[in-house]
Amino acid sequence: MQIKDYFKIQFKKPALDSKEEKIESKKAVFLKDMKNNYSRLESIELLNSNSKYDDSKILFVLLNNDVLDTILRFHEKSRNGAKPTEAFTFITDRKISEDCLKEYESIRSLLDRDKFEDQESDDALRSFQSLLRNLEKYFSREKEGSFHTSL
């Protein structure tokens, strides 16, 4: 036997049961949704840099819906008949939930304005950045808590 054969190390992934597989798939879907949300946010930043505020407002509305869908999908809930603010009640961390709700309300008030110019767009952008950071913080806590698997 050659010397290099003594140093071979073979690692295998741990086998997951069906519950852990479901948790891992939820994590993957959440990460994919967050990646898409950040991609849309970058598109909005590009539109704002070119002073296309009407176009960015359209993407803000869509991003707003995407963020709600991300939360609801993570908690396996549907949007049928639910108020948009109810999605934030599923976030178990009270401080993060309140911060997200505050940012969401700020975004809604900005999007409801007739005049949507530079200042409103920048404020909405900052609010969305804060909202997405809070969701990532919540996800990382959940990942170590109730969504911990052997992987």
Side-chain angles (χ1 to χ4, degrees):
M1 188 176 240
Q2 292 184 349
I3 191 101
K4 67 178 182 178
D5 292 335
Y6 288 110
F7 294 108
K8 282 188 178 178
I9 300 174
Q10 297 179 351
F11 291 106
K12 292 182 180 179
K13 285 184 180 179
L16 299 176
D17 62 8
S18 62
K19 182 181 176 186
E20 288 181 323
E21 284 178 3
K22 185 177 178 183
I23 289 171
E24 286 298 321
S25 70
K26 280 175 69 171
K27 287 181 191 178
V29 167
F30 181 82
L31 291 174
K32 181 179 172 249
D33 286 348
M34 288 300 288
K35 182 180 175 185
N36 291 339
N37 291 339
Y38 275 113
S39 175
R40 188 161 285 180
L41 196 61
E42 287 177 20
S43 299
I44 292 169
E45 289 174 349
L46 286 172
L47 288 170
N48 286 347
S49 68
N50 292 321
S51 301
K52 306 285 185 187
Y53 302 116
D54 291 334
D55 295 338
S56 70
K57 183 177 180 180
I58 293 168
L59 284 182
F60 273 127
V61 171
L62 295 173
L63 179 59
N64 196 29
N65 292 331
D66 290 345
V67 167
L68 292 176
D69 289 340
T70 298
I71 297 168
L72 292 171
R73 200 174 2 259
F74 185 67
H75 291 284
E76 298 177 336
K77 305 290 183 186
S78 69
R79 201 191 270 204
N80 297 341
K83 294 179 183 175
T85 56
E86 289 178 18
F88 299 105
T89 61
F90 300 123
I91 297 176
T92 54
D93 187 311
R94 171 72 73 212
K95 176 156 178 27
I96 292 176
S97 176
E98 289 172 356
D99 290 346
C100 287
L101 188 57
K102 182 180 78 170
E103 295 297 340
Y104 179 78
E105 293 297 336
S106 170
I107 292 164
R108 291 285 303 223
S109 69
L110 288 168
L111 293 177
D112 287 342
R113 293 183 185 174
D114 291 334
K115 178 185 166 231
F116 196 79
E117 297 292 324
D118 184 34
Q119 184 62 40
E120 290 81 10
S121 185
D122 286 344
D123 290 345
L125 191 64
R126 276 192 291 281
S127 292
F128 267 114
Q129 289 168 338
S130 176
L131 179 61
L132 292 176
R133 270 195 308 274
N134 280 326
L135 288 179
E136 281 184 335
K137 194 184 311 180
Y138 169 67
F139 176 70
S140 67
R141 288 182 184 170
E142 286 295 306
K143 209 167 52 169
E144 294 173 5
S146 62
F147 286 96
H148 182 73
T149 61
S150 57
L151 283 182

